[in-house]
Amino acid sequence: MNKNLRKAVIAGNWKMNKTRPEAKALIQELLPLVKDADCGVVICVPYTNLETALAATAGTNIAVGAENCHWAESGAFTGEISAPMLKELGVEYVVIGHSERRQYFGETDVTVQKRVRAALDAGLTVILCIGELLEQREAGITEEIVGMQTKAALGGVSREELGRIILAYEPVWAIGTGKTATAAQANEVNHYIRTVVEKLYDKEAADGVTIQYGGSMNAKNAEELLDQPDVDGGLIGGASLKAPDFAAIVKAASR
Ligand code: 13P
């Protein structure tokens, strides 16, 4: 499997952080630090920061994403935001199936699949999160879990549409815990996910799909993780809230 066939993408997931002035300041600090990046750079921000982020990144190499979207185009879904609403704003990316959505907001493989469908229909690129819980890793069923999540989420996604899917392997036990998967663990699961994609589509599709790692990736450990043959970038939580740290990860992916 040839890593050169894929573009590395470093995406920040700001989660529920930053007011608009804080968002603007962070982006302004980040822009000069990542302007020469030789990888995709995306920041996924709270809905309230989307317009601010789009204005601050206009004409730059930073793309903007949302952190979720609903599956319906519009309707009686109080508190939700639809994919066409994001598209109309100028948003390009959307995170779907994050483990925090699955853990705290009842997200299931079924709702993930519906949201992926809606995002693709609206013309967005999806950062699709999958990953096992600690108990599942300890029970030796990591591959079954991520395989099932991948198959469910990609159900109904055509080979052509796969070009607008980035997979993000995020072991739940490594998120926000400071406990990173080892580079070997990350690569092993990313490689397995690629074999699942190959079974669903074909080898060329599997070779071409970007698979990120996420979970306590930081300025210090990024290089080793990103050096792995099946790790094509990162989905960064905590470290994406500090411009120098995020920029160091972007630099590690650009080598
Ligand atoms: P941390 O980088 O804070 O562990 O978060 C990872 C994550 O959940 C990104 O989506």
Side-chain angles (χ1 to χ4, degrees), residues 146-211:
V146 299
M148 213 162 57
Q149 290 173 340
T150 305
K151 284 180 207 157
L154 295 181
V157 173
S158 71
R159 192 185 183 290
E160 195 196 351
E161 287 170 330
L162 190 66
R164 283 192 287 123
I165 301 270
I166 292 174
L167 289 156
Y169 168 55
E170 299 206 309
V172 180
W173 48 272
I175 294 177
T177 57
K179 206 172 165 185
T180 323
T182 63
Q185 283 173 325
N187 193 64
E188 188 183 16
V189 181
N190 276 29
H191 181 77
Y192 176 73
I193 295 165
R194 205 177 299 287
T195 65
V196 172
V197 174
E198 183 173 346
K199 279 194 199 118
L200 291 174
Y201 301 91
D202 53 53
K203 184 165 188 316
E204 198 186 339
D207 272 342
V209 72
T210 293
I211 308 181

Side-chain angles (χ1 to χ4, degrees), residues 13 15 98 170 174-176 215-216 235-238:
N13 172 11
K15 309 193 178 181
H98 193 279
E170 299 206 309
I175 294 177
S216 298
L235 185 55
I236 323 298

Side-chain angles (χ1 to χ4, degrees), residues 208-221:
V209 72
T210 293
I211 308 181
Q212 300 173 322
Y213 166 79
S216 298
M217 194 189 273
N218 58 40
K220 288 206 180 85
N221 61 24

Side-chain angles (χ1 to χ4, degrees), residues 10-219:
I10 299 296
N13 172 11
W14 288 10
K15 309 193 178 181
M16 194 173 73
N17 291 291
K18 303 290 176 191
T19 61
R20 284 185 303 164
E22 288 167 352
K24 198 173 167 190
L26 175 55
I27 293 166
Q28 279 167 351
E29 191 185 348
L30 189 60
L31 280 170
L33 303 179
V34 301
K35 70 176 180 6
D36 299 321
D38 189 19
C39 66
V41 183
V42 183
I43 51 170
C44 300
V45 306
Y47 294 131
T48 48
N49 288 334
L50 286 170
E51 275 204 279
T52 303
L54 286 163
T57 58
T60 75
N61 63 330
I62 301 184
V64 173
E67 299 176 12
N68 189 24
C69 70
H70 196 263
W71 54 80
E73 279 188 29
S74 62
F77 298 101
T78 302
E80 292 294 313
I81 302 285
S82 76
M85 288 172 174
L86 297 175
K87 182 69 182 174
E88 190 278 329
L89 270 183
V91 168
E92 290 178 72
Y93 290 80
V94 61
V95 176
I96 293 180
H98 193 279
S99 64
E100 286 149 18
R101 302 289 322 166
R102 295 179 193 253
Q103 269 184 301
Y104 308 135
F105 301 100
E107 193 80 72
T108 65
D109 284 343
V110 173
T111 56
V112 168
Q113 185 189 43
K114 288 165 77 170
R115 291 182 209 270
V116 168
R117 183 70 263 149
L120 291 173
D121 287 345
L124 299 169
T125 294
V126 174
I127 300 178
L128 173 61
C129 302
I130 52 186
E132 83 286 5
L133 302 168
L134 183 59
E135 306 89 91
Q136 293 167 334
R137 174 161 284 265
E138 285 173 351
I141 55 169
T142 297
E143 290 190 351
E144 282 85 342
I145 297 297
V146 299
M148 213 162 57
Q149 290 173 340
T150 305
K151 284 180 207 157
L154 295 181
V157 173
S158 71
R159 192 185 183 290
E160 195 196 351
E161 287 170 330
L162 190 66
R164 283 192 287 123
I165 301 270
I166 292 174
L167 289 156
Y169 168 55
E170 299 206 309
V172 180
W173 48 272
I175 294 177
T177 57
K179 206 172 165 185
T180 323
T182 63
Q185 283 173 325
N187 193 64
E188 188 183 16
V189 181
N190 276 29
H191 181 77
Y192 176 73
I193 295 165
R194 205 177 299 287
T195 65
V196 172
V197 174
E198 183 173 346
K199 279 194 199 118
L200 291 174
Y201 301 91
D202 53 53
K203 184 165 188 316
E204 198 186 339
D207 272 342
V209 72
T210 293
I211 308 181
Q212 300 173 322
Y213 166 79
S216 298
M217 194 189 273
N218 58 40

